[in-house]
Amino acid sequence: MQPYRILIVEDEEIIRLGLQDNFELENYEVETACDGEEAIAKTDSFQPHLILLDVMLPKKSGFEVCRFIRKKHPECIIIMLTAKTEETSKVAGLDMGADDYVTKPFSILELLARVKAFLRRIDQQAQAQARPAKQLASVDAIDFADIHLDFKKFIASKNGEPLELSTREFQILKYFWQRRGEVILREDLLQDLWGYTPDNMPSTRTIDNHIVNLRRKLEDDQANPKIILSIRGAGYKFDA
């Protein structure tokens, strides 16, 4: 099997070279870019499986790059690297279609673990391995409340008005619909959608930030959600 291709987009040379060394030591094929325009060009030519994408970049911001890549290369995994700790910045990255984010300074071991988990998902999809505990029914489009979701065309609307959802948000909503009425653990989502294993579960708030973002788009009153309910100490329930 050919090594996975990883594109590192970081304008700080020390960080960029350090990441390159660490991932090449793990036998990944690595290319780098130091600004947003180069990142887009390298994505087209290098066709990476996964991109480590800094938010603060010259020429084009990481958010702009993420939005562009997500539309043109929907299968590419994007992990954003940010020095910002504000919740709004993290949510903005997820809203652009990022799969996950890591806040600087970060542990290289944790970053390697997250990358391995995401790439493991590619193997699982290629081998068509369904989760043994639950065979989920196929679904192409659904309607609930005032919302329409088309999972084949990636089209969404609320009250007849277009609703912009990221690829990851479509995946989460499809998963919720297939298990509606059940209590869904955060670990279920990390394992089934993000590709983590039970013995390699990270401490990340990515799931919670995705839910915050989805509630902002779907719920009439975010403070009193009616569609995605929080189950204290467990996870979430989709009540639609």
Side-chain angles (χ1 to χ4, degrees), residues 95-119:
D95 204 23
M96 294 300 104
D99 294 282
D100 203 352
Y101 63 85
V102 176
T103 303
K104 299 176 183 177
F106 50 78
S107 161
I108 187 63
L109 292 179
E110 180 181 357
L111 182 58
L112 285 167
R114 291 201 194 188
V115 167
K116 288 178 181 178
F118 276 111
L119 295 177

Side-chain angles (χ1 to χ4, degrees), residues 11-229:
D11 62 326
E12 293 188 43
E13 185 177 20
I14 293 177
I15 297 176
R16 185 173 67 250
L17 295 179
L19 289 173
Q20 181 177 8
D21 287 344
N22 276 279
F23 280 96
E24 286 180 341
L25 285 172
E26 295 291 325
N27 295 318
Y28 294 113
E29 186 177 344
V30 180
E31 284 279 354
T32 65
C34 59
D35 63 59
E37 292 182 357
E38 186 181 14
I40 290 173
K42 284 283 183 73
T43 300
D44 287 337
S45 61
F46 184 52
Q47 295 287 308
H49 296 95
L50 183 144
I51 300 176
L52 298 176
L53 177 62
D54 189 31
V55 170
M56 304 298 291
L57 293 170
K59 298 184 179 180
K60 288 184 182 293
S61 73
F63 295 135
E64 293 176 285
V65 174
C66 183
R67 186 192 296 114
F68 179 89
I69 291 173
R70 181 53 68 222
K71 288 181 179 179
K72 191 171 182 181
H73 304 278
E75 74 290 345
C76 185
I77 298 164
I78 302 174
I79 300 178
M80 302 203 78
L81 309 177
T82 175
K84 297 182 178 180
T85 56
E86 294 88 351
E87 200 76 4
T88 53
S89 297
K90 298 173 183 176
V91 171
L94 298 175
D95 204 23
M96 294 300 104
D99 294 282
D100 203 352
Y101 63 85
V102 176
T103 303
K104 299 176 183 177
F106 50 78
S107 161
I108 187 63
L109 292 179
E110 180 181 357
L111 182 58
L112 285 167
R114 291 201 194 188
V115 167
K116 288 178 181 178
F118 276 111
L119 295 177
R120 188 183 304 114
R121 192 182 74 206
I122 296 177
D123 289 335
Q124 292 170 340
Q125 291 172 344
Q127 297 168 12
Q129 293 177 343
R131 188 182 180 194
K134 183 81 173 181
Q135 181 64 45
L136 300 177
S138 176
V139 57
D140 293 333
I142 60 174
D143 293 277
F144 59 93
D146 54 359
I147 295 164
H148 173 74
L149 301 175
D150 187 321
F151 297 112
K152 293 189 72 175
K153 298 179 181 178
F154 291 96
I155 296 174
S157 62
K158 179 177 172 65
N159 284 322
E161 296 295 323
L163 188 64
E164 187 172 343
L165 299 178
S166 69
T167 303
R168 176 66 72 192
E169 288 168 343
F170 273 107
Q171 292 174 337
I172 292 172
L173 289 172
K174 184 175 184 179
Y175 187 82
F176 275 175
W177 177 264
Q178 291 170 315
R179 298 182 63 177
R180 58 193 180 278
E182 300 179 24
V183 175
I184 300 174
L185 306 180
R186 290 176 179 82
E187 290 79 6
D188 292 340
L189 290 163
L190 287 169
Q191 182 174 340
D192 293 342
L193 296 185
W194 270 260
Y196 289 104
T197 59
D199 59 349
N200 189 31
M201 206 64 72
S203 56
T204 175
R205 292 210 49 175
T206 298
I207 300 296
D208 298 319
N209 281 298
H210 273 295
I211 298 304
V212 168
N213 223 22
L214 281 169
R215 282 176 174 161
R216 176 175 59 82
K217 297 176 181 181
L218 302 181
E219 303 280 1
D220 293 327
D221 181 1
Q222 298 177 59
N224 297 285
K226 305 295 183 184
I227 299 172
I228 303 176
L229 309 180

